[in-house]
């Protein structure tokens, strides 16, 4: 294992949490805390100035969310690895953070040694997920609704969203009505829904339409 000191930027809107984390990492000579930020905007600025190895990132903060900060750091090609440390483990929090470029995701109730191990792993570019988050992601991946729609299926769905009947869709796309029904069956399966209305609603919520 490398003996190099790992540098950190702590991002959290609660001063008590920042103080606690700083004290924890200062107790171990393998870590150095370069700075602290109270929101995502400050985090992006300080990450550029301080160039830490790892950014410990909270997610829900007034004045700039963690996901927005992770997205911006990724866009800028920042060297720092982002390890999310939050109290939230819902799909609406975990998935956007990981999709934005977070290297890992831990909950704040993680034991000290688990946190230290996660930071070391993140510094090496290895993915670290708390057991609760990992199980959620596995379930989400195995669940229906994750297979992408084909271009033809998107065309059919777009026409469905306009209230077009199966017969009219067939005429519009120069295919048979039976083929339209087959496409719809595939769309329902991929989106994990059972009818036209749910398919359209789900497609809009996921950004497939709109």
């Amino acid at each position: 294992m490398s003996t190099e000191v790992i540098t950190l930027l702590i991002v959290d809107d609660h001063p008590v949490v920042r103080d606690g984390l700083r004290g924890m990492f200062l107790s171990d000579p393998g870590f150095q805390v370069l700075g602290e930020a109270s929101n995502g905007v400050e985090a992006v600025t300080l990450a550029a100035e301080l160039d830490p190895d790892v950014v410990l990132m909270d997610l829900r903060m007034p004045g700039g969310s963690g996901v927005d900060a992770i997205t911006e750091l990724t866009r800028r090609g920042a060297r720092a690895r982002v390890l999310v440390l939050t109290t939230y483990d819902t799909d609406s929090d975990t998935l956007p953070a990981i999709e934005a470029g977070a290297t890992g995701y831990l909950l704040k109730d993680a034991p000290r040694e688990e946190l230290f191990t996660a930071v070391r792993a993140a510094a090496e570019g290895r993915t670290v997920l708390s057991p609760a988050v990992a199980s959620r992601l596995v379930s989400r991946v195995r669940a229906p609704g994750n297979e992408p729609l084909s271009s033809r299926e998107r065309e059919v769905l777009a026409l469905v969203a306009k209230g077009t009947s199966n017969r009219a869709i067939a005429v519009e796309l120069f295919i048979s009505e039976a083929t339209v029904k087959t496409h719809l069956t595939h769309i329902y399966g991929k989106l994990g829904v059972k009818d036209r209305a749910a398919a359209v609603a789900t497609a809009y919520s996921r950004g497939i339409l709109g």
Side-chain angles (χ1 to χ4, degrees):
M1 181 180 293
S2 172
T3 57
E4 289 183 11
V5 174
I6 295 171
T7 56
L8 291 160
L9 171 63
I10 297 171
V11 186
D12 197 290
D13 60 320
H14 294 102
V16 172
V17 173
R18 295 200 305 271
D19 289 347
L21 289 170
R22 174 185 280 275
M24 187 185 300
F25 283 103
L26 286 177
S27 71
D28 190 307
F31 302 103
Q32 179 184 0
V33 179
L34 299 181
E36 300 173 14
S38 61
N39 60 54
V41 175
E42 286 181 13
V44 172
T45 301
L46 284 177
E49 293 176 2
L50 303 174
D51 191 30
D53 296 317
V54 176
V55 178
L56 270 182
M57 183 77 75
D58 191 17
L59 287 185
R60 300 186 190 180
M61 299 174 286
S65 76
V67 171
D68 288 344
I70 297 168
T71 300
E72 180 62 16
L73 290 171
T74 300
R75 188 189 70 79
R76 294 186 178 194
R79 184 183 68 85
R81 306 288 185 173
V82 179
L83 178 60
V84 172
L85 186 64
T86 184
T87 54
Y88 306 103
D89 69 343
T90 62
D91 286 351
S92 61
D93 291 295
T94 56
L95 295 175
I98 292 168
E99 288 169 356
T103 298
Y105 199 114
L106 279 187
L107 301 181
K108 286 181 179 176
D109 60 1
R112 166 192 169 119
E113 287 308 315
E114 184 180 332
L115 179 56
F116 283 4
T117 298
V119 170
R120 293 188 186 101
E124 296 173 3
R126 291 187 280 124
T127 299
V128 185
L129 298 174
S130 74
V133 172
S135 63
R136 276 181 176 278
L137 291 176
V138 169
S139 297
R140 181 65 176 258
V141 168
R142 288 177 178 169
N146 287 280
E147 188 177 351
L149 301 186
S150 68
S151 58
R152 177 62 89 186
E153 287 164 354
R154 285 172 181 268
E155 288 179 322
V156 170
L157 190 54
L159 289 169
V160 168
K162 294 178 181 178
T164 313
S165 68
N166 287 359
R167 181 174 297 179
I169 291 173
V171 172
E172 174 89 13
L173 299 180
F174 302 100
I175 56 179
S176 71
E177 195 169 341
T179 300
V180 172
K181 291 178 180 177
T182 298
H183 283 313
L184 285 172
T185 299
H186 292 160
I187 290 168
Y188 296 167
K190 289 180 178 182
L191 297 182
V193 299
K194 296 181 179 179
D195 57 48
R196 295 163 74 96
V200 171
T202 300
Y204 274 121
S205 70
R206 294 187 188 175
I208 297 170
L209 294 176

